[in-house]
């Protein structure tokens, strides 16, 4: 009878061991995922230049994908026009580089992502109605039209202004609670590096345009 009881309980023990093993594996996977996420977040906080390169590349691929209606079109553009892609990458990279000189790096990342996301979406809709992409002239015209519209909208214009104020307040709150990180060099050196990088990007882009690239 004792042997029979042992044989009867053995399947239950096997099931329990299998459950424990599966639970242990799930916990290990969660720990690995948590470790990787912490590593990525730490990299964004302590390695702003590399993070800026990665984020600006992702944003540029997003913009190009929106412009060409597919990720495949963006990849084709990179292969066919690598020099122009690099120039565009430098342009997108510029605002992200400010993270080198500030402690609240996520704010810079967030603002840069929002900026380029808006321009990418605007470019997508512009190309839906015409064949030329969104340019600086369009931006200047749009700002003038917005100003004129606010003058004639009355209460609607006030609502727009109030919405903008609310967005600013939310942004201020986010800034207050956003985590800080150490700057890897003295503040003035970091500022000089950022300005030098912006000048390099400006000279490179202007020079390329002047030479007809």
């Amino acid at each position: 009878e004792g042997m029979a009881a042992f044989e009867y309980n053995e399947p239950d023990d096997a099931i329990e061991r299998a459950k424990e093993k599966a639970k242990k594996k799930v916990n290990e996977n969660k720990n690995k995922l948590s470790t990787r996420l912490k590593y990525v977040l730490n990299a964004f906080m302590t390695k702003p230049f590399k993070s800026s390169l990665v984020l600006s590349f992702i944003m540029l691929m997003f913009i190009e994908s929106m412009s060409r209606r597919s990720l495949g079109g963006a990849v084709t553009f990179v292969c066919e026009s690598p020099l122009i892609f690099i120039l565009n990458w430098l342009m997108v990279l510029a605002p992200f580089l400010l993270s080198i000189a500030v402690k609240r790096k996520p704010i810079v990342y967030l603002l840069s992502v929002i900026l380029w996301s808006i321009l990418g979406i605007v470019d997508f809709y512009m190309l839906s109605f015409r064949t030329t992409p969104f340019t600086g002239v369009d931006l200047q015209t749009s700002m003038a039209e917005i100003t004129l519209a606010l003058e004639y909208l009355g209460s609607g214009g006030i609502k727009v202004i109030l919405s903008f104020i609310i967005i600013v307040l939310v942004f201020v709150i986010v800034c207050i609670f956003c985590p800080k990180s150490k700057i890897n060099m003295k503040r003035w050196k970091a500022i000089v590096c950022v300005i030098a990088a912006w000048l390099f990007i400006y000279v490179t882009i202007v020079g390329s345009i002047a030479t007809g690239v």
Side-chain angles (χ1 to χ4, degrees):
E1 292 180 0
M3 181 63 70
F6 177 76
E7 291 176 352
Y8 178 77
N9 292 329
E10 187 174 0
D12 292 337
D13 293 339
I15 292 173
E16 289 298 326
R17 287 196 299 270
K19 288 181 178 179
E20 289 295 330
K21 186 176 181 180
K23 186 176 181 180
K24 184 178 180 181
K25 188 173 183 180
V26 170
N27 290 333
E28 289 177 352
N29 291 334
K30 287 182 178 179
N31 291 333
K32 287 181 181 179
L33 179 60
S34 177
T35 302
R36 290 174 181 173
L37 287 175
K38 288 180 180 179
Y39 174 79
V40 172
L41 292 175
N42 182 64
F44 277 115
M45 297 298 290
T46 59
K47 300 176 181 178
F49 180 71
K50 292 181 179 179
S51 300
S52 297
L53 288 175
V54 173
L55 290 174
S56 60
F57 178 81
I58 293 173
M59 289 310 305
L60 181 55
M61 290 302 295
F62 168 76
I63 294 171
E64 295 297 344
S65 297
M66 294 291 287
S67 177
R68 289 163 176 77
R69 301 297 192 276
S70 68
L71 180 60
V75 174
T76 301
F77 169 73
V78 175
C79 297
E80 292 178 350
S81 307
L83 184 57
I84 296 178
F85 178 81
I86 291 174
L87 293 175
N88 291 340
W89 189 3
L90 290 174
M91 189 183 304
V92 176
L93 174 64
F96 285 98
L97 291 176
L98 186 60
S99 62
I100 296 175
V102 300
K103 292 183 177 180
R104 300 184 188 274
K105 300 181 187 339
I107 296 298
V108 177
Y109 299 146
L110 178 62
L111 286 177
S112 300
V113 168
I114 291 174
L115 168 66
W116 292 115
S117 296
I118 292 174
L119 291 178
I121 294 171
V122 169
D123 189 44
F124 173 82
Y125 281 103
M126 293 289 285
L127 290 174
S128 298
F129 299 100
R130 68 184 198 187
T131 57
T132 54
F134 184 79
T135 62
V137 176
D138 295 315
L139 180 60
Q140 185 178 1
T141 304
S142 299
M143 294 303 295
E145 291 175 352
I146 291 173
T147 302
L148 183 63
L150 290 176
E151 293 178 358
Y152 288 96
L153 281 177
S155 61
I158 295 175
K159 291 179 181 179
V160 172
I161 295 174
L162 289 176
S163 300
F164 178 75
I165 293 174
I166 292 173
I167 293 174
V168 171
L169 290 176
V170 172
F171 175 72
V172 170
I173 294 172
V174 172
C175 288
I176 293 173
F177 292 99
C178 179
K180 292 182 179 181
S181 62
K182 293 182 179 179
I183 301 175
N184 297 331
M185 61 184 77
K186 291 183 178 181
R187 176 65 66 87
W188 69 269
K189 289 184 178 180
I191 294 174
V192 169
C193 289
V194 172
I195 294 175
W198 285 346
L199 288 174
F200 171 78
I201 292 173
Y202 175 78
V203 171
T204 302
I205 294 175
V206 172
S208 300
I209 294 174
T211 55
V213 175

